């Protein structure tokens, strides 16, 4: 199969410009995702570099060699900057453009500029370094589960290896000590590889942005906006998974006299009490506890693997932590919580009903206490 260099150069430029435009359009609609801006700029700058490469022999060498490679290395630097921005890392402008500056400085040295081998080695080393750094950035943040993260990191790593593979090839294979590559096959092959990577990288980064947006929307739909803990919908989903594994202890919390707090001190103080309660509870609850807000001043917590006695002791610890709270807005305000405790399996709503009975007894007995549900409801000493 014959690769037509001019056609591939034209197609590569067209695809890169289109991809860059799509990135920039997406960034204009979601300015907080700065990574899309960096990646769009990388595609546009890369398209300019390919255009200069394609005009080699028709324009001065300082454009088709010096400026073209500087633009291409800047494009790789922008890809790394996009990866860092996507992961919330600081983007260093100097480091992003360092490769291009190094290349331009090296081109000012006549022996380097005259040596095709030296130019290939430097350009390949810098391009591979940027791709490797971008791959490392994505891979090290894989704790955030995005399906396209690993493929994107692997693709960038493979591009780094491909760039670095040109270095030993240049040292081993015979190349002209001076001049420029004029074989149309190699120009076409390089354009074809660049085209494949351009499309693949663009698709994967767009997929990453889409997956993160969807994940953020899911979190927002499952998070109580005031306290930052799970809302009832999310807690119900967690409860189904936990209860499917076996009997589970459930704690049902209700802040005492909360309506009076709102009526007396205002909703700002009431909100502060709710946030303070969640902070106090999370400090003493086990790490595997599923804790969420059911609504108003009512909260629930599932404690997998614990007996009812162990759960009651944890509930008592939470009660004591809440009793020690003193809201900043009203330091003299005493906050207390009543807790109903139950252990069982099956349906989450059924467990809530049983815990609610125990909670009702805790309220009836004077509040600020823990009561265990069962045939004979009993208070924790």
């Amino acid at each position: 199969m014959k690769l037509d260099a001019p056609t591939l150069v034209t197609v590569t430029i067209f695809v890169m410009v289109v991809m860059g435009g799509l990135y920039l359009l997406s960034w204009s609609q979601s300015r907080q995702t700065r990574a899309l801006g960096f990646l769009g700029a990388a595609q546009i700058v890369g398209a300019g570099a390919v255009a200069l490469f394609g005009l080699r022999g028709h324009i001065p060498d300082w454009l088709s060699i010096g400026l073209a490679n500087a633009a291409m290395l800047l494009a790789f630097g922008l890809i790394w900057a996009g990866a860092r921005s996507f992961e919330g890392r600081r983007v260093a402008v100097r480091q992003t453009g360092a490769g291009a500056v190094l290349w331009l400085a090296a081109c000012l040295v006549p022996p380097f500029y005259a040596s095709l081998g030296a130019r290939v080695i430097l350009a390949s080393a810098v391009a591979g370094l940027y791709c490797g750094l971008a791959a490392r950035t994505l891979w090290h943040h894989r704790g955030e589960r995005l399906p396209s993260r690993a493929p994107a990191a692997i693709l960038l790593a493979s591009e780094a290896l491909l760039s670095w593979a040109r270095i030993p090839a240049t040292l081993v294979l015979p190349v002209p000590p001076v001049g420029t590559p004029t074989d149309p096959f190699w120009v076409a092959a390089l354009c074809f590889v660049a085209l494949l990577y351009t499309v693949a990288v663009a698709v994967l980064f767009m997929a990453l942005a889409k997956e993160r947006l969807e994940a953020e929307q899911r979190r927002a739909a499952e998070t109580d906006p005031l306290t930052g803990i799970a809302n009832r919908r999310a807690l119900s989903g967690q409860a189904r998974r936990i209860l499917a594994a076996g009997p589970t202890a459930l704690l049902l919390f209700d802040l005492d006299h909360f309506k009076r707090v709102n009526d007396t001190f205002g909703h700002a103080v009431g909100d502060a009490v709710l946030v303070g309660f969640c902070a106090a509870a999370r400090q003493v609850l086990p790490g595997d506890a599923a804790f969420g807000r059911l609504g108003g001043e009512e909260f629930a917590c599932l404690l997998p693997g614990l007996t009812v006695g162990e759960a009651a002791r944890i509930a008592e610890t939470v009660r004591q932590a809440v009793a020690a709270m003193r809201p900043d807005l009203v330091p003299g305000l005493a906050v207390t919580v009543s807790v109903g405790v139950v252990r069982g399996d099956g349906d989450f709503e059924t467990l809530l009903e049983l815990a609610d009975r125990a909670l009702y007894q805790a309220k009836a007995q004077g509040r600020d206490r823990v009561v265990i549900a069962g045939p004979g409801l009993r208070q924790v000493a």
Side-chain angles (χ1 to χ4, degrees):
M1 180 180 70
K2 183 178 179 180
L3 295 175
D4 181 65
T7 301
L8 278 173
V9 168
T10 303
V11 171
T12 301
I13 294 170
F14 176 77
V15 171
M16 294 182 79
V17 169
V18 170
M19 291 296 184
L22 290 174
Y23 271 128
L24 294 176
L25 178 61
S26 299
W27 176 54
S28 69
Q29 297 171 346
S30 180
R31 285 303 180 96
Q32 69 274 17
T33 311
R34 296 177 61 226
L36 296 176
F38 286 113
L39 294 166
Q43 296 291 338
I44 300 298
V45 172
V50 173
L52 292 174
F53 284 136
L55 292 172
R56 184 168 294 179
H58 303 283
I59 59 176
D61 284 352
W62 70 268
L63 287 174
S64 64
I65 296 175
L67 187 59
N69 280 284
M72 185 58 70
L73 293 178
L74 177 60
F76 280 115
L78 288 168
I79 290 175
W80 177 45
R84 288 181 63 86
S85 177
F86 183 79
E87 301 301 349
R89 306 277 298 277
R90 185 177 66 87
V91 175
V93 177
R94 290 182 180 178
Q95 294 174 354
T96 300
V101 172
L102 175 63
W103 170 265
L104 292 173
C107 286
L108 296 176
V109 180
F112 171 84
Y113 188 73
S115 172
L116 173 61
R119 297 202 308 268
V120 170
I121 289 173
L122 179 59
S124 300
V126 175
L129 178 62
Y130 276 133
C131 289
L133 289 172
R136 181 176 179 273
T137 299
L138 292 177
W139 187 257
H140 278 203
H141 288 76
R142 61 188 185 277
E144 181 189 13
R145 296 182 179 179
L146 301 177
S148 298
R149 179 183 296 281
I154 292 171
L155 179 71
L156 288 167
S158 70
E159 190 170 6
L161 292 175
L162 185 63
S163 296
W164 288 330
R166 296 177 63 196
I167 297 175
T170 300
L171 296 174
V172 173
L173 298 177
V175 294
V178 295
T180 63
T182 57
D183 189 339
F185 173 80
W186 290 110
V187 175
L190 290 173
C191 284
F192 184 66
V193 172
L195 178 62
L196 291 179
Y197 273 104
T198 294
V199 173
V201 169
V203 169
L204 285 173
F205 267 102
M206 291 292 278
L208 280 170
K210 179 175 178 290
E211 289 162 4
R212 172 169 286 173
L213 178 61
E214 291 174 347
E216 290 174 349
Q217 290 173 340
R218 283 196 301 271
R219 282 194 294 270
E222 296 179 347
T223 302
D224 177 61
L226 174 63
T227 61
I229 65 172
N231 59 19
R232 184 171 189 134
R233 173 185 173 185
L235 186 62
S236 296
Q238 295 177 43
R240 283 193 297 271
R241 293 189 292 271
I242 293 172
L243 288 167
T248 299
L250 171 69
L251 311 181
L252 184 61
F253 303 96
D254 190 277
L255 294 175
D256 298 326
H257 302 298
F258 184 72
K259 184 177 183 302
R260 185 187 303 171
V261 173
N262 274 336
D263 292 343
T264 304
F265 302 102
H267 288 281
V269 173
D271 289 349
V273 168
L274 293 174
V275 172
F277 164 75
C278 290
R282 292 172 83 172
Q283 285 184 347
V284 296
L285 288 171
D288 60 348
F291 181 49
R293 185 182 181 188
L294 299 178
E297 69 273 23
E298 196 169 56
F299 300 80
C301 176
L302 289 105
L303 300 168
L306 298 188
T307 65
V308 69
E310 292 169 334
R313 284 192 288 274
I314 290 175
E316 177 63 17
T317 302
V318 173
R319 187 197 66 78
Q320 293 175 3
V322 172
M325 283 173 47
R326 291 297 179 267
D328 292 337
L329 295 176
V330 187
L333 176 63
V335 180
T336 61
V337 64
S338 299
V339 192
V341 182
V342 67
R343 186 176 187 273
D345 54 11
D347 183 66
F348 178 53
E349 296 299 328
T350 301
L351 278 183
L352 280 178
E353 290 179 9
L354 294 172
D356 191 55
R357 294 178 192 174
L359 181 62
Y360 177 81
Q361 290 298 319
K363 297 283 188 180
Q365 294 173 18
R367 296 182 171 82
D368 189 23
R369 65 198 63 222
V370 176
V371 171
I372 300 173
L377 296 173
R378 64 185 188 277
Q379 177 184 338
V380 176

